[in-house]
Amino acid sequence: DAAEEMAAGDLDKSVRLSEGGEIGRLAESLEIMRTQLRGSLERVQRWADELETTVQKRTAELRASNRQLAAVTAVATAANEAHETDALIRSCLDVVLDYTGADGGAIRLFDERSRQLAPPLVSGDRTAFPCVNDAIDVADCPCGVVAAEERPLYLDAAARADFSPAC
């Protein structure tokens, strides 16, 4: 009965035989084989589960990379099609907004002579940019600090709460 269930793929039922001799040794061998086979199948299933998780993770990473590559390609295409600086920046900004799903965006250029950020080129919803017509001193805006110092600016939560940019 147990041997037939093993042959059918059911490895949960133990092979028990109280008889000694040749039949008893055969039953013991079947039980050892059942236990080892069950352990092997469990390991294979764990490996399959781990592989599936890895494949899903790598697929998500690949999709994200493909989206980024498509966005960079779209920005490069927009940049190649524009012949004036403002048109180039606006085209690139439109592509970035399209790919990010943002409602609006602005780009300010840094004027090294005046140490100010020029009035922004804005695309999309302008309500988030109250200073759209103003040049801003570099020290009054996180973007200005980044532009002037040519390095990233990291603001922790406390610094962001204390900082009230002019833009």
Side-chain angles (χ1 to χ4, degrees):
D1 191 39
E4 289 174 359
E5 289 180 21
M6 272 180 56
D10 182 3
L11 301 174
D12 291 329
K13 188 172 182 182
S14 299
V15 177
R16 300 272 183 229
L17 198 63
S18 58
E19 208 175 296
E22 191 76 24
I23 302 283
R25 283 195 302 276
L26 179 60
E28 286 176 21
S29 295
L30 277 174
E31 177 58 19
I32 290 169
M33 196 168 36
R34 180 196 71 80
T35 304
Q36 290 174 342
L37 184 57
R38 183 175 177 186
S40 294
L41 288 173
E42 288 171 354
R43 276 192 305 278
V44 167
Q45 184 60 49
R46 277 194 310 274
W47 293 339
D49 293 344
E50 290 171 8
L51 180 61
E52 179 63 26
T53 300
T54 301
V55 166
Q56 288 175 355
K57 181 181 174 187
R58 296 287 194 266
T59 300
E61 290 170 355
L62 182 59
R63 284 187 180 129
S65 292
N66 284 340
R67 281 192 304 272
Q68 289 173 347
L69 181 59
V72 168
T73 301
V75 168
T77 300
N80 281 332
E81 293 172 356
H83 301 292
E84 296 176 2
T85 304
D86 284 3
L88 175 128
I89 292 171
R90 202 172 305 281
S91 293
C92 293
L93 180 57
D94 287 341
V95 169
V96 169
L97 294 177
D98 185 46
Y99 273 85
T100 61
D103 294 331
I107 295 177
R108 288 181 176 271
L109 299 179
F110 176 57
D111 182 346
E112 289 186 33
R113 286 177 302 169
S114 69
R115 306 282 300 158
Q116 288 190 326
L117 296 173
L121 298 167
V122 178
S123 188
D125 182 10
R126 294 173 176 269
T127 59
F129 308 103
C131 57
V132 74
N133 296 319
D134 303 327
I136 295 178
D137 189 65
V138 170
D140 293 339
C141 177
C143 305
V145 174
V146 170
E149 297 182 12
E150 296 181 355
R151 65 175 178 80
L153 173 68
Y154 300 102
L155 298 174
D156 61 17
R160 282 193 303 274
D162 290 341
F163 192 77
S164 19
C167 58

